[in-house]
Amino acid sequence: MDIIDNKKFYKKLRELSLPIAFQSLMLALVAACDALMLGRVAQEEMTAVSLASQIQFVQNMFLMAITAAGSILGAQYWGKRDTPTLQKLFNLMLRWSGLLSLVFFAACELFPRALMQVFAADPSLIAIGSAYLRIAGWSYLITGISQSYLAVMKVTEHVQPSAWISSGAVVLNVLLNSVLIFGLLGAPRMEARGAALATTISRIAELGLCLAFSARREFICPAWRSFFKGNRQLSRDFRKQCLPLMGGSLFWGVGFTSYTAIMGHLGVDAAAANSVSAVVRDLICCACNGVGSAAGIMVGNELGAGNLERGKATGIKLKNLSFVVGFLSAALVLAVTPAVLKFVLLSEQARSYLLGMMLIMAVYMIGRCVNTITINGVLDGGGDAIFDMYSLAVCMWGIAIPLALLGAFVFHWPVLWVYACTCLDEVGKIPWVMLRVRKYKWVQNLTRDLT
Protein backbone atom coordinates (compact mmCIF):
# COMPACT_ATOMS: atom_id res chain seq x y z
CA MET A 1 0.00 0.00 0.00
CA ASP A 2 1.34 3.44 -0.93
CA ILE A 3 2.53 5.67 1.90
CA ILE A 4 0.56 8.92 1.98
CA ASP A 5 2.32 12.24 2.38
CA ASN A 6 0.48 13.59 5.43
CA LYS A 7 1.33 17.20 4.65
CA LYS A 8 -0.13 17.00 1.14
CA PHE A 9 -3.08 14.91 2.37
CA TYR A 10 -4.18 17.38 5.03
CA LYS A 11 -3.49 20.38 2.79
CA LYS A 12 -5.81 19.00 0.11
CA LEU A 13 -8.39 17.99 2.72
CA ARG A 14 -8.44 21.53 4.13
CA GLU A 15 -8.65 23.12 0.69
CA LEU A 16 -11.65 20.97 -0.22
CA SER A 17 -13.53 20.53 3.05
CA LEU A 18 -13.45 24.05 4.54
CA PRO A 19 -15.18 25.84 1.62
CA ILE A 20 -17.79 23.06 1.35
CA ALA A 21 -18.42 23.13 5.11
CA PHE A 22 -18.80 26.92 4.96
CA GLN A 23 -21.22 26.57 2.05
CA SER A 24 -23.23 23.99 4.01
CA LEU A 25 -23.30 26.31 7.04
CA MET A 26 -24.60 29.22 4.97
CA LEU A 27 -27.39 27.07 3.51
CA ALA A 28 -28.40 25.96 7.01
CA LEU A 29 -28.43 29.55 8.25
CA VAL A 30 -30.67 30.84 5.44
CA ALA A 31 -33.38 28.33 6.36
CA ALA A 32 -33.23 29.55 9.96
CA CYS A 33 -33.39 33.19 8.84
CA ASP A 34 -36.44 32.53 6.66
CA ALA A 35 -38.31 31.02 9.60
CA LEU A 36 -37.32 33.84 11.97
CA MET A 37 -38.32 36.63 9.56
CA LEU A 38 -41.66 35.14 8.57
CA GLY A 39 -42.31 34.25 12.20
CA ARG A 40 -42.24 37.98 12.99
CA VAL A 41 -44.91 38.62 10.33
CA ALA A 42 -47.51 36.00 11.24
CA GLN A 43 -47.62 32.38 12.30
CA GLU A 44 -49.72 31.52 9.23
CA GLU A 45 -47.12 32.99 6.86
CA MET A 46 -44.28 31.03 8.49
CA THR A 47 -46.26 27.79 8.58
CA ALA A 48 -47.48 28.08 4.98
CA VAL A 49 -43.99 28.71 3.62
CA SER A 50 -42.56 25.90 5.73
CA LEU A 51 -45.13 23.51 4.23
CA ALA A 52 -44.69 24.83 0.68
CA SER A 53 -40.92 24.42 0.99
CA GLN A 54 -41.44 20.67 1.23
CA ILE A 55 -41.84 20.74 -2.57
CA GLN A 56 -38.29 22.02 -2.91
CA PHE A 57 -37.13 19.47 -0.32
CA VAL A 58 -38.48 16.67 -2.52
CA GLN A 59 -36.84 18.20 -5.61
CA ASN A 60 -33.54 18.51 -3.77
CA MET A 61 -33.59 14.80 -2.91
CA PHE A 62 -33.61 13.98 -6.63
CA LEU A 63 -31.09 16.71 -7.48
CA MET A 64 -28.68 15.49 -4.80
CA ALA A 65 -28.66 12.05 -6.41
CA ILE A 66 -28.02 13.49 -9.88
CA THR A 67 -25.21 15.81 -8.76
CA ALA A 68 -23.70 13.13 -6.48
CA ALA A 69 -23.59 10.62 -9.35
CA GLY A 70 -21.98 13.26 -11.55
CA SER A 71 -19.48 14.08 -8.80
CA ILE A 72 -18.50 10.41 -8.34
CA LEU A 73 -17.76 9.91 -12.03
CA GLY A 74 -16.50 13.46 -12.48
CA ALA A 75 -13.89 13.13 -9.73
CA GLN A 76 -12.53 9.99 -11.35
CA TYR A 77 -12.43 11.42 -14.87
CA TRP A 78 -10.77 14.56 -13.50
CA GLY A 79 -8.19 12.35 -11.79
CA LYS A 80 -7.59 10.81 -15.22
CA ARG A 81 -7.57 14.34 -16.73
CA ASP A 82 -10.09 13.22 -19.38
CA THR A 83 -11.68 16.62 -20.04
CA PRO A 84 -13.75 15.64 -23.14
CA THR A 85 -15.53 12.86 -21.23
CA LEU A 86 -16.05 15.18 -18.27
CA GLN A 87 -17.76 17.65 -20.62
CA LYS A 88 -20.05 14.87 -21.86
CA LEU A 89 -20.82 13.99 -18.25
CA PHE A 90 -21.61 17.66 -17.59
CA ASN A 91 -24.09 17.57 -20.51
CA LEU A 92 -25.67 14.45 -19.04
CA MET A 93 -26.09 16.07 -15.61
CA LEU A 94 -27.66 19.15 -17.15
CA ARG A 95 -30.14 17.08 -19.19
CA TRP A 96 -31.26 15.07 -16.16
CA SER A 97 -31.42 17.99 -13.73
CA GLY A 98 -32.95 20.32 -16.32
CA LEU A 99 -35.78 17.88 -17.08
CA LEU A 100 -36.43 17.30 -13.38
CA SER A 101 -36.47 21.05 -12.67
CA LEU A 102 -38.88 21.61 -15.55
CA VAL A 103 -41.31 19.07 -14.06
CA PHE A 104 -41.28 20.76 -10.63
CA PHE A 105 -41.58 24.21 -12.20
CA ALA A 106 -44.61 23.15 -14.25
CA ALA A 107 -46.26 21.56 -11.21
CA CYS A 108 -45.81 24.73 -9.13
CA GLU A 109 -47.15 26.99 -11.87
CA LEU A 110 -50.09 24.82 -12.98
CA PHE A 111 -51.17 23.01 -9.81
CA PRO A 112 -50.01 25.02 -6.76
CA ARG A 113 -53.26 24.52 -4.82
CA ALA A 114 -53.22 20.78 -5.40
CA LEU A 115 -49.63 20.61 -4.14
CA MET A 116 -50.50 22.59 -0.99
CA GLN A 117 -53.51 20.39 -0.31
CA VAL A 118 -51.11 17.47 0.12
CA PHE A 119 -49.56 19.21 3.15
CA ALA A 120 -52.38 21.37 4.55
CA ALA A 121 -56.17 21.49 4.90
CA ASP A 122 -56.56 25.05 6.20
CA PRO A 123 -57.77 27.38 3.37
CA SER A 124 -55.59 30.30 4.50
CA LEU A 125 -52.44 28.15 4.53
CA ILE A 126 -53.30 26.78 1.08
CA ALA A 127 -53.85 30.30 -0.31
CA ILE A 128 -50.58 31.68 1.12
CA GLY A 129 -48.60 28.61 0.07
CA SER A 130 -50.05 28.64 -3.47
CA ALA A 131 -49.03 32.27 -3.97
CA TYR A 132 -45.55 31.40 -2.68
CA LEU A 133 -45.18 28.42 -5.05
CA ARG A 134 -46.19 30.39 -8.16
CA ILE A 135 -43.21 32.70 -7.60
CA ALA A 136 -40.77 30.22 -6.06
CA GLY A 137 -41.44 27.77 -8.92
CA TRP A 138 -39.19 29.88 -11.14
CA SER A 139 -36.31 29.28 -8.73
CA TYR A 140 -36.97 25.53 -8.91
CA LEU A 141 -36.50 25.77 -12.68
CA ILE A 142 -33.05 27.28 -12.21
CA THR A 143 -31.82 25.25 -9.24
CA GLY A 144 -30.97 22.05 -11.11
CA ILE A 145 -28.83 23.88 -13.65
CA SER A 146 -26.84 25.89 -11.11
CA GLN A 147 -26.31 22.85 -8.86
CA SER A 148 -24.83 20.92 -11.78
CA TYR A 149 -22.38 23.75 -12.46
CA LEU A 150 -21.39 23.92 -8.78
CA ALA A 151 -20.88 20.14 -8.60
CA VAL A 152 -18.51 20.18 -11.58
CA MET A 153 -16.57 23.09 -10.09
CA LYS A 154 -16.03 21.14 -6.86
CA VAL A 155 -14.58 18.05 -8.53
CA THR A 156 -12.32 20.04 -10.87
CA GLU A 157 -10.35 21.83 -8.14
CA HIS A 158 -12.50 24.97 -8.17
CA VAL A 159 -14.17 24.33 -4.83
CA GLN A 160 -13.52 27.83 -3.48
CA PRO A 161 -15.30 29.66 -6.34
CA SER A 162 -18.24 27.26 -6.03
CA ALA A 163 -18.47 27.95 -2.29
CA TRP A 164 -18.28 31.72 -2.77
CA ILE A 165 -20.95 31.64 -5.48
CA SER A 166 -23.33 29.56 -3.39
CA SER A 167 -22.64 31.52 -0.20
CA GLY A 168 -23.01 34.84 -2.03
CA ALA A 169 -26.41 33.72 -3.26
CA VAL A 170 -27.38 32.83 0.32
CA VAL A 171 -26.33 36.27 1.63
CA LEU A 172 -28.27 37.96 -1.20
CA ASN A 173 -31.28 35.79 -0.35
CA VAL A 174 -31.22 36.86 3.31
CA LEU A 175 -30.83 40.56 2.44
CA LEU A 176 -33.65 40.46 -0.12
CA ASN A 177 -35.80 38.56 2.35
CA SER A 178 -35.52 41.36 4.88
CA VAL A 179 -36.35 43.98 2.22
CA LEU A 180 -39.23 42.20 0.49
CA ILE A 181 -40.84 40.45 3.46
CA PHE A 182 -41.03 43.60 5.62
CA GLY A 183 -41.19 46.20 2.82
CA LEU A 184 -37.94 48.00 3.67
CA LEU A 185 -36.12 50.65 1.55
CA GLY A 186 -39.35 51.63 -0.19
CA ALA A 187 -40.13 48.12 -1.44
CA PRO A 188 -43.68 46.78 -1.13
CA ARG A 189 -44.42 44.59 1.89
CA MET A 190 -44.83 41.17 0.23
CA GLU A 191 -44.52 38.83 3.24
CA ALA A 192 -44.52 35.17 2.01
CA ARG A 193 -44.46 36.24 -1.65
CA GLY A 194 -41.42 38.36 -0.82
CA ALA A 195 -39.59 35.31 0.49
CA ALA A 196 -40.36 33.51 -2.78
CA LEU A 197 -39.20 36.45 -4.91
CA ALA A 198 -35.99 36.77 -2.86
CA THR A 199 -35.24 33.10 -3.43
CA THR A 200 -35.86 33.40 -7.17
CA ILE A 201 -33.68 36.49 -7.60
CA SER A 202 -30.83 34.92 -5.63
CA ARG A 203 -31.03 31.74 -7.76
CA ILE A 204 -30.85 33.83 -10.94
CA ALA A 205 -27.77 35.60 -9.58
CA GLU A 206 -26.22 32.24 -8.62
CA LEU A 207 -26.73 30.84 -12.12
CA GLY A 208 -25.36 34.03 -13.69
CA LEU A 209 -22.18 33.72 -11.65
CA CYS A 210 -21.87 30.04 -12.54
CA LEU A 211 -22.08 30.85 -16.24
CA ALA A 212 -19.60 33.71 -15.91
CA PHE A 213 -17.00 31.62 -14.05
CA SER A 214 -17.41 28.59 -16.32
CA ALA A 215 -16.73 30.74 -19.36
CA ARG A 216 -13.15 31.23 -18.16
CA ARG A 217 -10.46 29.08 -19.77
CA GLU A 218 -9.44 27.13 -16.67
CA PHE A 219 -13.01 26.02 -15.90
CA ILE A 220 -14.89 23.08 -17.39
CA CYS A 221 -17.98 24.05 -19.39
CA PRO A 222 -20.59 21.88 -21.15
CA ALA A 223 -19.97 20.67 -24.69
CA TRP A 224 -22.82 22.72 -26.15
CA ARG A 225 -22.30 21.57 -29.74
CA SER A 226 -23.05 17.98 -28.75
CA PHE A 227 -25.45 18.76 -25.91
CA PHE A 228 -28.23 16.45 -27.12
CA LYS A 229 -25.84 13.79 -28.36
CA GLY A 230 -25.43 11.16 -25.65
CA ASN A 231 -22.93 8.38 -25.10
CA ARG A 232 -24.63 5.07 -24.29
CA GLN A 233 -21.82 3.68 -22.15
CA LEU A 234 -21.44 6.89 -20.15
CA SER A 235 -25.23 7.06 -19.70
CA ARG A 236 -25.25 3.48 -18.37
CA ASP A 237 -22.41 4.26 -15.96
CA PHE A 238 -24.26 7.37 -14.80
CA ARG A 239 -27.53 5.49 -14.21
CA LYS A 240 -25.64 2.78 -12.32
CA GLN A 241 -24.49 5.41 -9.82
CA CYS A 242 -27.54 7.69 -9.88
CA LEU A 243 -30.40 5.25 -9.32
CA PRO A 244 -29.06 3.73 -6.05
CA LEU A 245 -28.21 7.23 -4.84
CA MET A 246 -31.73 8.39 -5.70
CA GLY A 247 -33.18 5.45 -3.78
CA GLY A 248 -30.98 6.24 -0.79
CA SER A 249 -31.88 9.92 -0.98
CA LEU A 250 -35.60 9.12 -0.96
CA PHE A 251 -35.19 6.66 1.93
CA TRP A 252 -33.29 9.29 3.90
CA GLY A 253 -35.57 12.23 3.09
CA VAL A 254 -38.85 10.46 3.77
CA GLY A 255 -37.30 8.83 6.84
CA PHE A 256 -36.32 12.16 8.39
CA THR A 257 -39.77 13.56 7.60
CA SER A 258 -41.22 10.52 9.41
CA TYR A 259 -39.05 11.21 12.45
CA THR A 260 -40.38 14.79 12.57
CA ALA A 261 -43.97 13.60 12.22
CA ILE A 262 -43.55 11.03 15.00
CA MET A 263 -42.09 13.57 17.42
CA GLY A 264 -44.79 16.05 16.42
CA HIS A 265 -47.46 13.63 17.63
CA LEU A 266 -45.92 13.46 21.12
CA GLY A 267 -47.10 16.94 22.07
CA VAL A 268 -46.20 20.59 21.64
CA ASP A 269 -43.28 20.44 24.09
CA ALA A 270 -41.71 17.43 22.37
CA ALA A 271 -42.18 18.98 18.93
CA ALA A 272 -40.65 22.29 20.05
CA ALA A 273 -37.62 20.63 21.65
CA ASN A 274 -37.11 18.44 18.58
CA SER A 275 -37.25 21.49 16.28
CA VAL A 276 -34.50 23.23 18.25
CA SER A 277 -32.34 20.11 18.39
CA ALA A 278 -32.74 19.68 14.61
CA VAL A 279 -31.40 23.20 13.99
CA VAL A 280 -28.36 22.51 16.21
CA ARG A 281 -27.80 19.15 14.48
CA ASP A 282 -27.90 20.69 11.01
CA LEU A 283 -25.44 23.44 11.97
CA ILE A 284 -22.92 21.11 13.60
CA CYS A 285 -23.17 18.54 10.79
CA CYS A 286 -21.74 21.14 8.37
CA ALA A 287 -18.21 20.03 9.35
CA CYS A 288 -18.74 16.36 8.53
CA ASN A 289 -20.60 17.32 5.34
CA GLY A 290 -17.51 19.21 4.20
CA VAL A 291 -15.12 16.40 5.05
CA GLY A 292 -17.46 13.83 3.46
CA SER A 293 -17.61 15.72 0.16
CA ALA A 294 -13.84 16.20 0.23
CA ALA A 295 -13.36 12.48 0.91
CA GLY A 296 -15.35 11.51 -2.18
CA ILE A 297 -13.31 13.85 -4.38
CA MET A 298 -9.94 12.77 -2.98
CA VAL A 299 -10.65 9.04 -3.27
CA GLY A 300 -12.21 9.47 -6.71
CA ASN A 301 -9.24 11.46 -8.03
CA GLU A 302 -6.78 8.75 -7.02
CA LEU A 303 -8.85 5.85 -8.32
CA GLY A 304 -9.64 7.59 -11.60
CA ALA A 305 -5.95 8.26 -12.13
CA GLY A 306 -5.31 4.51 -11.79
CA ASN A 307 -3.62 4.82 -8.38
CA LEU A 308 -5.73 2.07 -6.78
CA GLU A 309 -3.42 1.40 -3.84
CA ARG A 310 -3.08 5.09 -3.04
CA GLY A 311 -6.84 5.50 -3.36
CA LYS A 312 -7.31 2.59 -0.97
CA ALA A 313 -4.88 4.10 1.54
CA THR A 314 -6.57 7.50 1.22
CA GLY A 315 -9.96 5.94 1.91
CA ILE A 316 -8.73 4.08 4.99
CA LYS A 317 -7.11 7.21 6.37
CA LEU A 318 -10.31 9.19 5.84
CA LYS A 319 -12.35 6.43 7.48
CA ASN A 320 -10.12 6.62 10.56
CA LEU A 321 -10.34 10.41 10.54
CA SER A 322 -14.15 10.19 10.55
CA PHE A 323 -14.06 8.98 14.17
CA VAL A 324 -11.98 12.01 15.17
CA VAL A 325 -14.50 14.33 13.48
CA GLY A 326 -17.33 12.41 15.17
CA PHE A 327 -15.96 12.73 18.70
CA LEU A 328 -15.11 16.42 18.17
CA SER A 329 -18.66 17.04 16.93
CA ALA A 330 -20.06 15.20 19.97
CA ALA A 331 -17.94 17.39 22.24
CA LEU A 332 -19.19 20.50 20.41
CA VAL A 333 -22.82 19.45 20.98
CA LEU A 334 -22.14 19.13 24.71
CA ALA A 335 -20.27 22.45 24.77
CA VAL A 336 -23.10 24.46 23.18
CA THR A 337 -25.90 22.79 25.16
CA PRO A 338 -25.90 25.31 28.07
CA ALA A 339 -25.98 28.25 25.62
CA VAL A 340 -28.81 26.70 23.59
CA LEU A 341 -30.88 26.01 26.72
CA LYS A 342 -30.36 29.60 27.88
CA PHE A 343 -31.09 31.20 24.50
CA VAL A 344 -34.34 29.53 23.40
CA LEU A 345 -37.71 30.38 24.93
CA LEU A 346 -39.31 27.07 25.93
CA SER A 347 -41.55 25.75 28.67
CA GLU A 348 -39.88 23.92 31.55
CA GLN A 349 -41.04 20.56 30.17
CA ALA A 350 -39.75 21.35 26.68
CA ARG A 351 -36.46 22.55 28.16
CA SER A 352 -35.99 19.26 30.00
CA TYR A 353 -36.74 17.37 26.78
CA LEU A 354 -34.21 19.50 24.91
CA LEU A 355 -31.48 18.79 27.48
CA GLY A 356 -32.04 15.06 27.10
CA MET A 357 -32.15 15.31 23.31
CA MET A 358 -28.84 17.19 23.23
CA LEU A 359 -27.17 14.48 25.33
CA ILE A 360 -28.55 11.77 23.04
CA MET A 361 -27.52 13.79 19.99
CA ALA A 362 -23.91 13.89 21.20
CA VAL A 363 -23.76 10.09 20.82
CA TYR A 364 -25.73 10.24 17.56
CA MET A 365 -23.24 12.74 16.14
CA ILE A 366 -20.43 10.17 16.31
CA GLY A 367 -22.36 7.80 14.07
CA ARG A 368 -23.56 10.58 11.78
CA CYS A 369 -20.02 11.84 11.12
CA VAL A 370 -18.52 8.37 10.67
CA ASN A 371 -21.25 7.34 8.23
CA THR A 372 -21.31 10.60 6.27
CA ILE A 373 -17.55 10.58 5.68
CA THR A 374 -17.22 6.83 5.15
CA ILE A 375 -20.38 6.05 3.15
CA ASN A 376 -21.03 9.30 1.26
CA GLY A 377 -17.33 10.02 0.91
CA VAL A 378 -15.10 6.95 0.73
CA LEU A 379 -17.55 4.28 -0.51
CA ASP A 380 -19.38 6.55 -2.96
CA GLY A 381 -16.08 7.97 -4.22
CA GLY A 382 -15.14 4.48 -5.34
CA GLY A 383 -18.53 3.73 -6.90
CA ASP A 384 -20.03 1.64 -4.09
CA ALA A 385 -23.16 3.79 -4.17
CA ILE A 386 -25.67 1.01 -3.55
CA PHE A 387 -24.54 0.37 0.04
CA ASP A 388 -26.04 3.66 1.25
CA MET A 389 -29.49 2.56 0.02
CA TYR A 390 -29.13 -0.88 1.61
CA SER A 391 -28.01 0.51 4.96
CA LEU A 392 -30.87 3.04 5.08
CA ALA A 393 -33.43 0.38 4.13
CA VAL A 394 -32.25 -1.92 6.91
CA CYS A 395 -31.19 0.41 9.73
CA MET A 396 -33.59 3.33 9.26
CA TRP A 397 -36.69 1.68 7.76
CA GLY A 398 -36.20 -1.79 9.21
CA ILE A 399 -35.19 -0.83 12.75
CA ALA A 400 -35.30 2.85 13.77
CA ILE A 401 -38.65 3.95 12.28
CA PRO A 402 -40.61 0.83 13.36
CA LEU A 403 -39.20 1.11 16.90
CA ALA A 404 -40.06 4.83 17.08
CA LEU A 405 -43.60 4.16 15.80
CA LEU A 406 -44.15 1.33 18.28
CA GLY A 407 -42.68 3.35 21.12
CA ALA A 408 -44.78 6.42 20.35
CA PHE A 409 -48.16 4.89 19.48
CA VAL A 410 -48.26 1.35 20.92
CA PHE A 411 -46.07 1.17 24.02
CA HIS A 412 -46.28 4.93 24.83
CA TRP A 413 -42.64 5.20 25.83
CA PRO A 414 -41.25 8.43 27.33
CA VAL A 415 -40.44 11.15 24.79
CA LEU A 416 -36.67 10.77 25.14
CA TRP A 417 -36.86 7.02 24.53
CA VAL A 418 -38.70 7.65 21.27
CA TYR A 419 -36.17 10.34 20.30
CA ALA A 420 -33.35 7.87 21.00
CA CYS A 421 -35.00 5.44 18.59
CA THR A 422 -34.87 8.09 15.83
CA CYS A 423 -31.12 8.38 16.44
CA LEU A 424 -30.50 4.64 16.55
CA ASP A 425 -29.86 4.05 12.84
CA GLU A 426 -26.65 6.11 12.57
CA VAL A 427 -24.97 4.58 15.61
CA GLY A 428 -26.24 1.06 14.97
CA LYS A 429 -24.83 0.69 11.47
CA ILE A 430 -21.21 1.64 12.29
CA PRO A 431 -20.03 -2.02 12.58
CA TRP A 432 -21.69 -2.86 9.24
CA VAL A 433 -20.05 0.15 7.59
CA MET A 434 -16.62 -0.87 8.90
CA LEU A 435 -17.09 -4.39 7.49
CA ARG A 436 -18.12 -2.93 4.14
CA VAL A 437 -14.98 -0.80 3.99
CA ARG A 438 -12.78 -3.83 4.64
CA LYS A 439 -14.27 -5.71 1.68
CA TYR A 440 -12.70 -3.03 -0.59
CA LYS A 441 -15.47 -3.23 -3.20
CA TRP A 442 -15.14 0.53 -3.42
CA VAL A 443 -11.56 0.35 -4.74
CA GLN A 444 -12.39 0.52 -8.44
CA ASN A 445 -11.56 2.70 -11.41
CA LEU A 446 -14.89 3.72 -12.98
CA THR A 447 -13.40 5.55 -15.96
CA ARG A 448 -13.43 4.32 -19.55
CA ASP A 449 -11.77 5.39 -22.78
CA LEU A 450 -14.79 7.09 -24.37
CA THR A 451 -13.07 9.79 -26.41
Side-chain angles (χ1 to χ4, degrees):
M1 187 177 294
D2 286 5
I3 298 175
I4 298 175
D5 185 325
N6 282 331
K7 186 176 180 180
K8 291 182 179 179
F9 173 87
Y10 286 111
K11 181 176 183 291
K12 186 170 184 178
L13 183 62
R14 284 195 305 271
E15 290 174 349
L16 290 171
S17 63
L18 290 179
I20 297 173
F22 177 72
Q23 181 182 356
S24 180
L25 176 63
M26 295 297 289
L27 291 171
L29 287 174
V30 75
C33 289
D34 281 356
L36 287 172
M37 289 182 189
L38 287 169
R40 294 186 63 84
V41 174
Q43 181 174 318
E44 290 80 6
E45 299 280 330
M46 180 182 69
T47 304
V49 171
S50 176
L51 294 172
S53 297
Q54 296 303 304
I55 305 300
Q56 188 177 29
F57 178 71
V58 175
Q59 182 193 23
N60 284 340
M61 285 193 293
F62 288 101
L63 285 178
M64 282 192 296
I66 293 170
T67 55
S71 297
I72 291 169
L73 293 173
Q76 293 218 3
Y77 279 108
W78 182 250
K80 189 181 179 181
R81 291 301 189 266
D82 186 349
T83 301
T85 302
L86 189 53
Q87 287 182 307
K88 294 175 184 175
L89 180 64
F90 199 168
N91 287 352
L92 191 58
M93 292 171 63
L94 287 174
R95 290 199 298 269
W96 277 55
S97 60
L99 180 61
L100 176 70
S101 298
L102 185 61
V103 170
F104 276 84
F105 164 74
C108 290
E109 296 304 313
L110 299 176
F111 314 110
R113 292 188 65 84
L115 292 175
M116 283 302 301
Q117 286 169 350
V118 175
F119 300 100
D122 185 84
S124 64
L125 294 181
I126 292 173
I128 295 169
S130 298
Y132 175 89
L133 286 175
R134 283 197 178 93
I135 300 173
W138 290 93
S139 73
Y140 303 164
L141 180 64
I142 298 168
T143 298
I145 301 170
S146 61
Q147 291 304 306
S148 297
Y149 271 88
L150 293 172
V152 171
M153 286 185 190
K154 289 175 186 175
V155 301
T156 55
E157 300 178 11
H158 296 298
V159 66
Q160 288 190 356
S162 74
W164 286 118
I165 289 171
S166 183
S167 300
V170 167
V171 172
L172 178 62
N173 194 348
V174 172
L175 293 175
L176 289 175
N177 267 348
S178 61
V179 172
L180 297 173
I181 289 174
F182 301 113
L184 304 178
L185 303 178
R189 183 183 173 93
M190 298 178 67
E191 300 181 344
R193 292 181 296 114
L197 183 57
T199 299
T200 301
I201 294 172
S202 64
R203 288 298 186 188
I204 292 171
E206 181 181 67
L207 178 58
L209 289 171
C210 287
L211 294 172
F213 271 90
S214 294
R216 296 163 66 178
R217 180 176 298 178
E218 65 269 24
F219 284 74
I220 300 294
C221 61
W224 294 115
R225 292 183 180 179
S226 58
F227 184 77
F228 293 104
K229 184 180 179 181
N231 182 288
R232 289 185 179 180
Q233 185 60 61
L234 185 61
S235 296
R236 281 196 292 268
D237 290 344
F238 184 82
R239 287 195 300 271
K240 186 177 179 181
Q241 300 301 321
C242 186
L243 295 179
L245 288 168
M246 198 169 287
S249 184
L250 289 171
F251 276 145
W252 179 85
V254 179
F256 258 86
T257 303
S258 300
Y259 288 158
T260 303
I262 292 169
M263 297 303 299
H265 280 82
L266 296 180
V268 175
D269 290 330
N274 183 60
S275 298
V276 175
S277 68
V279 172
V280 176
R281 178 197 67 214
D282 291 342
L283 291 174
I284 293 180
C285 279
C286 292
C288 72
N289 292 340
V291 178
S293 296
I297 294 170
M298 292 171 69
V299 171
N301 285 169
E302 295 292 353
L303 297 177
N307 303 321
L308 299 187
E309 286 300 316
R310 191 178 302 153
K312 181 178 177 180
T314 300
I316 293 171
K317 192 173 183 68
L318 286 162
K319 179 263 294 182
N320 295 335
L321 184 64
S322 70
F323 284 93
V324 177
V325 177
F327 280 103
L328 288 175
S329 298
L332 183 57
V333 170
L334 296 176
V336 302
T337 295
V340 172
L341 291 171
K342 186 177 180 180
F343 178 77
V344 295
L345 298 175
L346 296 173
S347 68
E348 286 302 314
Q349 183 64 70
R351 194 178 300 275
S352 68
Y353 286 154
L354 180 58
L355 174 60
M357 289 177 181
M358 295 291 282
L359 296 175
I360 294 168
M361 192 203 303
V363 179
Y364 161 88
M365 198 60 66
I366 298 170
R368 175 69 179 266
C369 292
V370 169
N371 294 328
T372 297
I373 296 169
T374 306
I375 299 176
N376 304 123
V378 176
L379 298 185
D380 284 359
D384 191 8
I386 201 166
F387 177 76
D388 190 21
M389 185 175 69
Y390 286 160
S391 65
L392 287 167
V394 173
C395 297
M396 176 180 274
W397 285 93
I399 299 174
I401 290 177
L403 273 178
L405 286 170
L406 289 171
F409 302 115
V410 178
F411 302 119
H412 304 291
W413 288 342
V415 167
L416 293 180
W417 288 24
V418 177
Y419 180 78
C421 289
T422 67
C423 298
L424 188 62
D425 58 312
E426 294 288 2
V427 178
K429 67 185 178 186
I430 290 179
W432 190 14
V433 173
M434 295 302 105
L435 287 173
R436 187 72 175 193
V437 171
R438 290 177 184 175
K439 289 183 178 180
Y440 301 117
K441 291 183 178 181
W442 51 274
V443 184
Q444 52 183 323
N445 186 340
L446 303 175
T447 65
R448 303 176 189 271
D449 293 321
L450 300 174
T451 55

